[in-house]
């Protein structure tokens, strides 16, 4: 991004028009990219990195991540925050615009149309009959959606992520909820913003997700589990006939939280990294988060905040029983495995983005690694300025009362005092700092 854009600068109107035009931003659009962990593969005349394409991660320059379409999008999934009457009017306006102005097929969740305010609206009836509806955990729409538009807070984006266990369509999120850290768009001028996105004129940030595999020992008598579509249209539960274990898989955008649940005892879990035991967590639990999730529960637990373009996984203890247990960042792509310690007094509970909460017993395991299916979130301006604007606007990052400056006569007095007392320079410096 250009030198004229301040890091903390914020425009009054958050729109795509604030982004530089494609035709006049040669200095903005960069084509160079990096290969992690380092673009240099030779070190001196004799040493080099072993060439193994499977271990090299391609990292694109954030400034060059622009949205494009192979074909014009024809279907859009609209996700509305439920139990919020204030969103009914924006929801209706958006759906009418998508159908009548852009001739798009609109998918909505069936329970959204069961809202009494929508059922009783006769003027919205003709539009409502054109909707394609689905039910969570029953219908698989992953191959039918070209674009996702969210109306609400950050929870709507997390919900959209949970619906797609594979490749995720681009997501455009409007801030109509509480916090809105992940929802950068304002709804006032939604027509022009949606039009620019449909035309492919927008920046995009690829938010990495976690692929989580939960393996559970079957309790009691072994029974067969029928094959079929279950959670979010994927095979979420399967039975391994050889070892008798139940396997569940999830795609997580924010974090995996393992906590002690209702027990009054400390949780006691072992954390393995690529098969090696790295530590035992004793405390209220542990958070394994993506860079996107680093500004959520992990930040409240004392972790650092990581930009979404950084390929990493963060491990954050929750109230650890050790003052030296600090949050750590590990490379993306490693495999973490969390199990109950043999000497643990009680079981623990695990949740995925605050949902699908379940108990983890002795013999069960939770394996976590970076998913190859990120969530492409559309930006108002670009991935860097959007993130810092959210830090300042939503989390009030580094907001403080400014220090008062010296008056001109006070500055002159200090300069004269400093010139006449050069022998005691350190004492003068100390006094000035206190002043």
């Amino acid at each position: 991004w250009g030198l004229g854009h301040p890091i903390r600068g914020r425009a009054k109107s958050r729109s795509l028009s604030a982004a530089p035009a494609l035709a006049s931003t040669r200095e903005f659009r960069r084509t160079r990219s990096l290969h992690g962990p380092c673009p240099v593969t030779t070190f001196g005349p004799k040493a080099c990195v072993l060439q193994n394409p499977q271990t090299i991660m391609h990292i694109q320059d954030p400034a060059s991540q622009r949205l494009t379409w192979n074909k014009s999008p024809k279907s859009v999934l609209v996700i509305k925050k439920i139990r919020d009457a204030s969103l009914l009017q924006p929801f209706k306006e958006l759906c009418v615009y998508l159908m009548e102005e852009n001739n798009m097929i609109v998918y909505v969740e069936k329970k959204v149309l069961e809202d009494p305010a929508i059922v009783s609206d006769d003027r919205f009836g003709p539009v409502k009959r054109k909707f394609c509806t689905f039910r969570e955990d029953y219908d698989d729409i992953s191959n039918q959606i070209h674009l996702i538009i969210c109306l609400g807070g950050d929870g709507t984006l997390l919900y959209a992520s949970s619906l797609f266990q594979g490749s995720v369509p681009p997501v455009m999120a409007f801030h109509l909820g509480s916090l809105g850290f992940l929802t950068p768009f304002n709804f006032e001028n939604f027509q022009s913003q949606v039009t620019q996105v449909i035309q492919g004129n927008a920046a995009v940030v690829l938010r990495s997700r976690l692929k989580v595999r939960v393996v559970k020992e079957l309790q009691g008598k072994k029974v067969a589990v029928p094959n079929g579509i279950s959670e979010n249209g994927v095979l979420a539960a399967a039975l391994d006939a050889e070892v008798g274990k139940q396997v569940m898989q999830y795609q997580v955008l924010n974090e995996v939280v393992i906590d002690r649940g209702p027990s009054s005892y400390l949780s006691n879990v072992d954390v393995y990294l690529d098969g090696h035991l790295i530590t035992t967590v004793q405390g209220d639990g542990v958070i394994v988060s993506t860079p996107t999730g680093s500004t959520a529960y992990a930040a409240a637990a004392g972790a650092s905040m990581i930009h979404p373009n950084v390929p990493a996984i963060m491990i954050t203890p929750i109230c650890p029983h050790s003052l030296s247990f600090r949050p750590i960042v590990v490379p993306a792509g490693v495999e973490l495995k969390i199990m109950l310690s043999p000497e643990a007094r009680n079981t623990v509970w695990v949740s995925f983005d605050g949902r699908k909460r379940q108990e983890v017993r002795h013999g069960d395991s939770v394996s976590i690694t970076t998913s190859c299916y990120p969530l492409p979130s559309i930006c108002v301006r670009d991935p860097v300025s959007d993130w810092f604007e959210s830090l300042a606007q939503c989390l009030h990052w580094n907001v403080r009362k400014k220090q008062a400056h010296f008056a001109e006569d006070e500055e002159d007095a200090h300069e004269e005092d400093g010139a006449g007392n050069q022998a005691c320079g350190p004492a003068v410096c100390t006094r000035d700092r206190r002043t």
Side-chain angles (χ1 to χ4, degrees), residues 368-404:
I368 306 169
T369 188
T370 303
S371 171
C372 59
Y373 300 109
L375 184 141
S377 179
I378 300 174
C379 303
V380 173
R381 294 177 61 186
D382 62 79
V384 177
S385 59
D386 276 20
W387 191 69
F388 277 99
E389 184 171 349
S390 294
L391 284 183
Q393 192 174 55
C394 300
L395 300 185
H396 302 291
W397 179 66
N398 198 28
V399 174
R400 61 179 294 272
K401 189 174 181 180
K402 295 228 176 144
Q403 185 181 30

Side-chain angles (χ1 to χ4, degrees), residues 140-199:
D140 181 15
I141 59 172
S142 56
N143 293 326
Q144 304 170 22
I145 303 300
H146 302 158
L147 173 66
I148 303 173
I149 298 180
C150 296
L151 303 177
D154 294 344
T156 58
L157 189 68
L158 298 176
Y159 177 69
S161 172
S162 68
L163 295 176
F164 295 85
Q165 298 298 298
S167 179
V168 185
V171 181
M172 184 179 187
F174 286 94
H175 174 40
L176 293 169
S178 302
L179 184 61
F181 191 89
L182 306 178
T183 55
F185 288 91
N186 286 332
F187 195 77
E188 285 75 11
N189 52 345
F190 74 94
Q191 295 94 338
S192 61
Q193 294 176 333
V194 171
T195 299
Q196 292 187 48
V197 169
I198 293 176
Q199 294 175 352

Side-chain angles (χ1 to χ4, degrees), residues 77 136-137 139-143 148 157-169 209-214 229-237 248-253 352-353 355-356 370-375:
L77 169 62
E136 184 188 8
D137 295 340
D139 301 320
D140 181 15
I141 59 172
S142 56
N143 293 326
I148 303 173
L157 189 68
L158 298 176
Y159 177 69
S161 172
S162 68
L163 295 176
F164 295 85
Q165 298 298 298
S167 179
V168 185
R209 300 195 293 174
L210 298 176
K211 182 176 72 173
V212 186
R213 187 170 181 264
V214 181
I229 297 297
S230 58
E231 296 183 22
N232 302 323
V234 299
L235 189 63
M248 293 162 286
Q249 293 187 2
Y250 304 94
Q251 296 283 334
V252 177
L253 178 60
F352 315 96
D353 284 341
R355 310 177 76 228
K356 311 294 183 183
T370 303
S371 171
C372 59
Y373 300 109
L375 184 141

Side-chain angles (χ1 to χ4, degrees), residues 6-263:
I7 293 289
R8 292 292 303 278
R10 68 185 56 249
K12 294 182 179 179
S13 175
R14 307 181 70 186
S15 65
L16 282 170
S17 60
L22 295 180
S24 61
T25 55
R26 291 183 180 178
E27 71 281 357
F28 174 80
R29 296 188 62 188
R30 296 170 291 183
T31 57
R32 60 182 173 83
S33 61
L34 304 178
H35 289 79
C38 179
V40 179
T41 57
T42 59
F43 306 94
K46 296 293 184 181
C48 66
V49 175
L50 180 65
Q51 296 299 317
N52 184 359
Q54 295 181 351
T55 62
I56 299 299
M57 180 181 300
H58 180 73
I59 306 172
Q60 189 176 18
D61 188 344
S64 65
Q65 293 178 183
R66 307 290 299 183
L67 176 67
T68 185
W69 302 97
N70 295 325
K71 293 183 180 180
S72 180
K74 296 299 182 183
S75 62
V76 57
L77 169 62
V78 178
I79 298 178
K80 183 186 78 69
K81 182 181 178 182
I82 60 174
R83 296 189 297 272
D84 192 340
S86 64
L87 297 185
L88 292 176
Q89 188 60 32
F91 171 75
K92 295 176 184 179
E93 293 178 6
L94 175 64
C95 293
V96 171
Y97 176 76
L98 292 172
M99 288 184 177
E100 297 182 355
E101 300 295 331
N102 293 278
N103 196 26
M104 300 186 74
I105 302 172
V106 178
Y107 285 77
V108 297
E109 195 171 6
K110 189 175 182 180
K111 62 183 179 182
V112 171
L113 300 182
E114 296 173 355
D115 192 295
I118 294 180
V119 174
S120 60
D121 191 346
D122 296 333
R123 294 178 297 176
F124 195 62
V127 177
K128 185 175 64 175
R129 286 191 288 268
K130 297 179 182 180
F131 283 133
C132 293
T133 60
F134 73 97
R135 295 173 298 170
E136 184 188 8
D137 295 340
Y138 288 95
D139 301 320
D140 181 15
I141 59 172
S142 56
N143 293 326
Q144 304 170 22
I145 303 300
H146 302 158
L147 173 66
I148 303 173
I149 298 180
C150 296
L151 303 177
D154 294 344
T156 58
L157 189 68
L158 298 176
Y159 177 69
S161 172
S162 68
L163 295 176
F164 295 85
Q165 298 298 298
S167 179
V168 185
V171 181
M172 184 179 187
F174 286 94
H175 174 40
L176 293 169
S178 302
L179 184 61
F181 191 89
L182 306 178
T183 55
F185 288 91
N186 286 332
F187 195 77
E188 285 75 11
N189 52 345
F190 74 94
Q191 295 94 338
S192 61
Q193 294 176 333
V194 171
T195 299
Q196 292 187 48
V197 169
I198 293 176
Q199 294 175 352
N201 182 19
V204 66
V205 56
L206 302 180
R207 298 185 179 275
S208 63
R209 300 195 293 174
L210 298 176
K211 182 176 72 173
V212 186
R213 187 170 181 264
V214 181
V215 180
K216 289 190 173 184
E217 295 276 1
L218 291 178
Q219 303 295 324
K221 185 179 178 180
K222 297 180 181 179
V223 294
V225 178
N227 293 331
I229 297 297
S230 58
E231 296 183 22
N232 302 323
V234 299
L235 189 63
L239 180 70
D240 191 332
E242 296 181 358
V243 295
K245 294 180 182 292
Q246 184 182 11
V247 181
M248 293 162 286
Q249 293 187 2
Y250 304 94
Q251 296 283 334
V252 177
L253 178 60
N254 257 1
E255 74 272 307
V256 178
V257 178
I258 296 177
D259 60 77
R260 59 190 176 98
S263 174

Side-chain angles (χ1 to χ4, degrees), residues 286-429:
V286 63
I287 305 169
V288 180
S289 61
T290 63
T292 297
S294 68
T295 53
Y297 192 2
S304 297
M305 294 180 288
I306 307 175
H307 189 275
N309 278 111
V310 179
I313 298 175
M314 173 165 282
I315 304 173
T316 307
I318 307 173
C319 298
H321 204 245
S322 169
L323 295 178
S324 61
F325 194 176
R326 310 304 303 163
I328 61 172
V329 178
V330 297
V334 301
E335 183 174 359
L336 297 171
K337 189 173 184 180
I338 301 177
M339 302 179 65
L340 265 179
S341 300
E343 64 274 11
R345 295 182 177 182
N346 58 295
T347 62
V348 294
W349 290 75
V350 61
S351 61
F352 315 96
D353 284 341
R355 310 177 76 228
K356 311 294 183 183
R357 185 171 172 83
Q358 54 196 271
E359 191 174 14
V360 178
R361 305 172 183 269
H362 285 281
D364 301 344
S365 65
V366 180
S367 299
I368 306 169
T369 188
T370 303
S371 171
C372 59
Y373 300 109
L375 184 141
S377 179
I378 300 174
C379 303
V380 173
R381 294 177 61 186
D382 62 79
V384 177
S385 59
D386 276 20
W387 191 69
F388 277 99
E389 184 171 349
S390 294
L391 284 183
Q393 192 174 55
C394 300
L395 300 185
H396 302 291
W397 179 66
N398 198 28
V399 174
R400 61 179 294 272
K401 189 174 181 180
K402 295 228 176 144
Q403 185 181 30
H405 63 84
F406 285 130
E408 293 184 0
D409 53 346
E410 292 181 358
E411 291 180 357
D412 296 339
H414 279 280
E415 290 177 359
E416 293 176 0
D417 184 71
N421 296 278
Q422 294 181 359
C424 55
V428 172
C429 292

